[in-house]
Amino acid sequence: MEALALGPSWLDPENLIQSFGLVGILAVVFAESGLLIGFFLPGDSLLFTTGLLVATDQYLHYPLWLVCLLIVMAAVVGDQVGYLFGRKVGPSLFRRPDSRLFKQENVEKAHAFFEKHGPKSLVLARFVPIVRTFTPIIAGVSTMRYRSFVTFNIVGGVLWGAGVTLLGAALGQVDFVHEHIELILVGIVLLSVIPIVIEYLRARRSSAGAGGAGAPANGGAPAAPARGQGRHTKR
């Protein structure tokens, strides 16, 4: 299978799988699920490619059920680490300066996503690149009830981790998909960024509409949520 590299060669899903195998897949899923440095990793296309390669017995010679189980576990544990990190770091995360790998706007987007959708954002965010990395951290910052977090974390991990992998396994046995995998991967990437584009355009319209109302006293930066005072405060 000749896949089109969608970025640096070391981020190409097939190249990652050839180089690091199942361990590499699990490491990427874990990092993208809750580590600040994992937001740029190829989650959706990697899972789809994993399912395809397992179904066609290329590079990954493991039962599909085992691969799905391990991926779900990596996704759930990754979110767990992100949540605990958010609980520990707290509001100081919102005051962290930008760096090459960390952008304050990513935290702000995830926080807005979490506030808009509530606990179900843990499920929805799984399918939105960048947001899925920061949402469990924001859940920790907002001191979301741990029992609710675990429940939605598991549901999201299963739907995303196993769901996208099984989709790749099912479609990977279709001749057209197998012969045009590079186009399929490009399509997955494009679909995954659509929510980000929509949110960006919506934010621009909102900013334009509020242009005559005057800037907030703090320059427009969102205030860090006070521990124990958010809509998802631990009861």
Side-chain angles (χ1 to χ4, degrees):
M1 180 180 71
E2 291 295 330
L4 176 67
L6 302 175
S9 59
W10 58 276
L11 281 179
D12 175 64
E14 186 180 0
N15 183 57
L16 276 170
I17 294 171
Q18 287 186 55
S19 302
F20 303 104
L22 183 57
V23 173
I25 296 169
L26 300 179
V28 168
V29 171
F30 171 80
E32 197 185 12
S33 294
L35 300 185
L36 289 177
I37 61 172
F39 66 90
F40 62 90
L41 296 171
D44 299 313
S45 56
L46 178 65
L47 294 184
F48 186 90
T49 304
T50 297
L52 186 153
L53 294 178
V54 171
T56 55
D57 200 29
Q58 299 181 63
Y59 310 130
L60 296 170
H61 308 293
Y62 303 96
L64 181 59
W65 69 266
L66 177 61
V67 173
C68 288
L69 176 62
L70 293 176
I71 287 175
V72 169
M73 291 175 62
V76 171
V77 173
D79 260 27
Q80 184 75 19
V81 171
Y83 176 86
L84 294 176
F85 176 80
R87 286 291 295 265
K88 182 176 180 62
V89 172
S92 64
L93 183 65
F94 287 80
R95 296 189 293 270
R96 180 174 177 174
D98 285 353
S99 65
R100 176 176 296 183
L101 293 178
F102 179 86
K103 298 297 181 184
Q104 187 61 237
E105 63 179 306
N106 292 332
V107 179
E108 295 167 6
K109 288 177 182 178
H111 181 254
F113 191 89
F114 181 76
E115 287 299 312
K116 178 179 180 180
H117 298 287
K120 66 181 180 181
S121 64
L122 291 168
V123 177
L124 299 176
R126 286 288 189 180
F127 299 90
V128 183
I130 299 178
V131 173
R132 69 168 152 255
T133 302
F134 290 93
T135 297
I137 299 174
I138 300 302
V141 172
S142 301
T143 60
M144 177 181 178
R145 285 195 304 168
Y146 184 71
R147 181 177 299 179
S148 296
F149 171 80
V150 170
T151 299
F152 285 98
N153 179 18
I154 293 175
V155 171
V158 171
L159 292 179
W160 178 68
V164 178
T165 304
L166 290 173
L167 180 64
L171 295 182
Q173 300 183 59
V174 177
D175 289 339
F176 176 83
V177 174
H178 189 67
E179 294 169 2
H180 300 84
I181 183 60
E182 68 279 0
L183 296 178
I184 300 298
L185 293 180
V186 170
I188 292 174
V189 172
L190 292 177
L191 285 174
S192 66
V193 300
I194 285 177
I196 297 177
V197 173
I198 293 176
E199 190 62 32
Y200 172 76
L201 294 176
R202 185 177 300 167
R204 287 198 61 180
R205 285 198 299 268
S206 299
S207 297
N218 64 351
R227 296 181 67 88
Q229 297 182 5
R231 178 155 58 96
H232 311 289
T233 301
K234 183 176 180 181
R235 303 179 189 278

